[in-house]
Amino acid sequence: MRVVLKTQVLGSVAIGLLLAATAWSQLDSAAALPFTSRMRFGFLFLTQEPLPPVTGLERVLKQMDDAARNFKTIEASVAWDHYDKVINETDTEKGKIYFRREGGEIQMAADFVEPDKKYVLYSGGKVQVYQPKIDQVNEYNPGKNRSDVDSFLVLGFGGGGHDLLKSYEAKLVGLETVNGVAAEKLELIPKSERFRNNIARILLWIDPAVGISVQQQLFEPGPKAGSDGDYRLAKYSDIKINQKLPENVFKLNTTKKTKFVSPQG
C-alpha cells in the first residue's frame, strides 16, 4: 500500500510540473498577442486552482464515505475487552452485534453470551441494557448529548468518513494487520472538551476493501494529562454487510416480571 501511495504522490508531482511547464510556454507565446488578449489569457491562467493532493487520510475518508452511502445493515461477531489499568486486568465479553439504518437513524443491537447473557439496544435515542440473570433493564436517555452518542455509535459502521472531521481531529497512523485484514489505522481525538473528559482518544482500523471498521479501541483519560487510562477494545469478525437481519434482534426479549430502571448520573 505504501508503494501505491508513493506512486500516486510522485504521479501528482509529475503532472503538476508538466502543467506548470505547459502554462509558462503558453505565456511566452502569448506575448505576441494583443494586450487585451494577453489580459484575458492571464486572467484564465491565474484563476486555475491546483487540485488538492490526495493524502492517505483523504483516501480512507472517501472509502468510508462510499461505504456510508451504500450502508443498510451489518452483522458481526464481537469480542469486547475492557482493560482496567489500576488492577491490570482485562474482562472480555463475546457475542453478536447488529447495525441497521432505519429511516434517518442508525440502530444498534448487541447480544452478548459470554461470560453472562446481556442484551444492549440503541434505538430512538435511548440505550437499554437487559440482564436476564437479574431480569432487569437499565435505560439511559442521552438527552442533549444525543448527537455525541449518535456520532460515536456510527464510528466505522455507516458513518461517513468526512463526517468524522466535524467531531474529531483525525490522523492516519498507518497500515496494521487485524485478523488477517491489512487495515488502515486512524487516530481520532474528540474536539469537544466535554467528550474528551470521558473518551480521550479513539483508534479505528478500517478495512479499505469495504470501508468499515474491523477493530475499535477507546481510551479513557489517564491520571496525568496526555496519558491513557482504561480502554475498551472491540474486535469484529465474520462481518456480513447489507444482508437481511432477523427483526427480533432489535427487540428485548423481556418477561412480565422484568424491572425497568433509569440510573441517574
Side-chain angles (χ1 to χ4, degrees):
M1 183 63 72
R2 288 193 178 94
V3 174
V4 173
L5 179 57
K6 185 177 180 181
T7 301
Q8 290 175 337
V9 172
L10 289 175
S12 298
V13 172
I15 292 171
L17 290 174
L18 177 61
L19 290 174
T22 303
W24 279 113
S25 66
Q26 288 173 333
L27 277 179
D28 289 339
S29 63
L33 294 174
F35 177 77
T36 53
S37 297
R38 293 202 305 271
M39 285 294 292
R40 286 197 297 269
F41 184 89
F43 175 76
L44 289 174
F45 173 70
L46 291 174
T47 55
Q48 293 300 312
E49 293 284 345
L51 293 175
V54 179
T55 63
L57 175 61
E58 179 66 21
R59 184 186 67 252
V60 177
L61 295 180
K62 186 179 182 304
Q63 290 165 349
M64 296 175 69
D65 287 341
D66 293 340
R69 279 192 293 271
N70 299 318
F71 172 79
K72 295 179 181 176
T73 66
I74 287 178
E75 175 183 345
S77 297
V78 61
W80 200 349
D81 296 338
H82 181 200
Y83 173 70
D84 190 317
K85 194 171 185 177
V86 174
I87 60 177
N88 192 28
E89 286 188 2
T90 302
D91 295 325
T92 301
E93 295 178 289
K94 295 182 179 180
K96 302 279 286 186
I97 194 163
Y98 309 87
F99 294 85
R100 74 176 177 185
R101 176 174 285 134
E102 184 74 7
E105 71 169 11
I106 300 293
Q107 296 178 331
M108 184 277 288
D111 180 0
F112 292 104
V113 295
E114 296 181 25
D116 296 311
K117 291 284 290 181
K118 183 171 71 175
Y119 301 93
V120 182
L121 177 64
Y122 180 75
S123 179
K126 182 170 64 176
V127 180
Q128 294 179 297
V129 181
Y130 177 42
Q131 296 171 277
K133 193 172 184 178
I134 60 174
D135 203 11
Q136 179 172 300
V137 175
N138 289 347
E139 298 184 313
Y140 306 86
N141 191 334
K144 63 181 181 180
N145 299 324
R146 179 174 176 176
S147 60
D148 287 342
V149 175
D150 287 344
S151 65
F152 175 75
L153 180 70
V154 297
L155 284 177
F157 290 108
H162 285 87
D163 287 342
L164 291 177
L165 303 182
K166 299 175 184 177
S167 303
Y168 304 94
E169 298 289 347
K171 179 176 71 173
L172 178 62
V173 178
L175 276 176
E176 190 171 308
T177 301
V178 176
N179 197 24
V181 175
E184 303 272 15
K185 185 178 179 180
L186 298 180
E187 181 183 59
L188 306 178
I189 306 295
K191 292 181 178 180
S192 165
E193 183 178 356
R194 174 171 48 83
F195 198 179
R196 287 198 306 273
N197 290 335
N198 295 288
I199 302 296
R201 67 187 183 107
I202 301 169
L203 296 177
L204 291 183
W205 287 260
I206 303 296
D207 182 348
V210 291
I212 65 170
S213 177
V214 292
Q215 186 168 280
Q216 301 166 339
Q217 191 168 17
L218 289 71
F219 294 90
E220 297 177 16
K224 297 180 180 180
S227 66
D228 291 327
D230 299 350
Y231 69 74
R232 286 188 177 272
L233 176 64
K235 295 169 283 189
Y236 304 100
S237 59
D238 301 323
I239 300 174
K240 300 174 183 177
I241 303 172
N242 291 342
Q243 297 187 15
K244 185 174 177 59
L245 302 179
E247 186 65 29
N248 61 357
V249 301
F250 293 98
K251 296 178 180 179
L252 296 180
N253 189 24
T254 57
T255 70
K256 293 181 178 179
K257 296 182 179 180
T258 301
K259 183 179 179 181
F260 288 78
V261 298
S262 298
Q264 300 298 316

